Amino acid sequence: MSTSINLGGGVRVRLGTKSSSISMGGKNGRVTLNSKGRRTTTLRVGGVSVTSSSSPAKQKPGKKQAAASRQSTTATRARLGTLVAPRRSIVNGWVACDARAVVVHRAGQDDVRIPVAQVTQAWLEGKNLALMARGYDPLYLRLTTLLTSWDMRFVEAVAKAAGLSPS
């Protein structure tokens, strides 16, 4: 729920439940400042409107917030060592391989980390990367990269890191 109050002279105050704002200006130009620090400038000329927004720089979190942030990050993101193959893009994420594991990152989900010692097969079917590993469900990842030759290099690097013989 919000309330808008016109103070006259092109000044308007909006009071909301989560934030408030003050706007100054008229039809051809307006500046709005909100309680969260966002500033929006709008210019209108001959039926064309141009809007510019700026947000305040994020403040450094306090000690408690930083510790909580680090804990949640380590729970969802696996750390990577030196890559044995370039990271490949997949639908909604990426896949990478370091000397210890293949890491699959999908937006909004926990990372999947498969030790290379457990990888039994890795192959490419068109633009799909297929991985089989002991103790894991088969993974079929849709690659969104442009060059199939780079995708093949990734598969070969995973196979080499896992100690698989070329097929």
Side-chain angles (χ1 to χ4, degrees):
M1 180 164 160
S2 67
T3 303
S4 182
I5 303 167
N6 187 354
L7 299 178
V11 179
R12 180 177 298 271
V13 175
R14 190 190 66 77
L15 304 170
T17 55
K18 293 185 178 181
S19 69
S20 302
S21 66
I22 185 167
S23 296
M24 295 159 277
K27 290 181 180 180
N28 294 327
R30 176 175 302 278
V31 175
T32 304
L33 303 170
N34 80 1
S35 58
K36 295 182 179 180
R38 183 179 205 86
R39 177 180 152 180
T40 305
T41 305
T42 303
L43 296 174
R44 293 178 190 92
V45 178
V48 177
S49 178
V50 178
T51 302
S52 168
S53 288
S54 64
S55 295
K58 290 188 176 184
Q59 295 178 356
K60 292 182 180 179
K63 290 181 182 180
K64 288 182 181 178
Q65 289 176 327
S69 175
R70 278 193 301 272
Q71 287 174 351
S72 66
T73 302
T74 54
T76 58
R77 286 200 178 157
R79 295 193 183 263
L80 287 170
T82 303
L83 297 180
V84 297
R87 181 184 295 189
R88 307 308 312 146
S89 295
I90 60 172
V91 174
N92 293 326
W94 50 261
V95 61
C97 181
D98 63 17
R100 298 171 307 201
V102 176
V103 177
V104 179
H105 172 82
R106 292 188 180 115
Q109 298 179 15
D110 287 349
D111 288 354
V112 175
R113 187 173 185 86
I114 303 170
V116 291
Q118 294 181 358
V119 174
T120 57
Q121 292 180 343
W123 70 95
L124 203 57
E125 292 178 0
K127 290 302 280 182
N128 292 314
L129 170 64
L131 290 172
M132 302 286 275
R134 290 185 300 277
Y136 292 88
D137 291 333
L139 280 175
Y140 297 97
L141 306 170
R142 181 74 177 158
L143 296 166
T144 59
T145 52
L146 298 175
L147 297 174
T148 306
S149 61
W150 288 359
D151 298 337
M152 196 62 211
R153 283 188 212 155
F154 180 84
V155 172
E156 290 168 353
V158 169
K160 182 178 178 183
L164 302 175
S165 61
S167 52

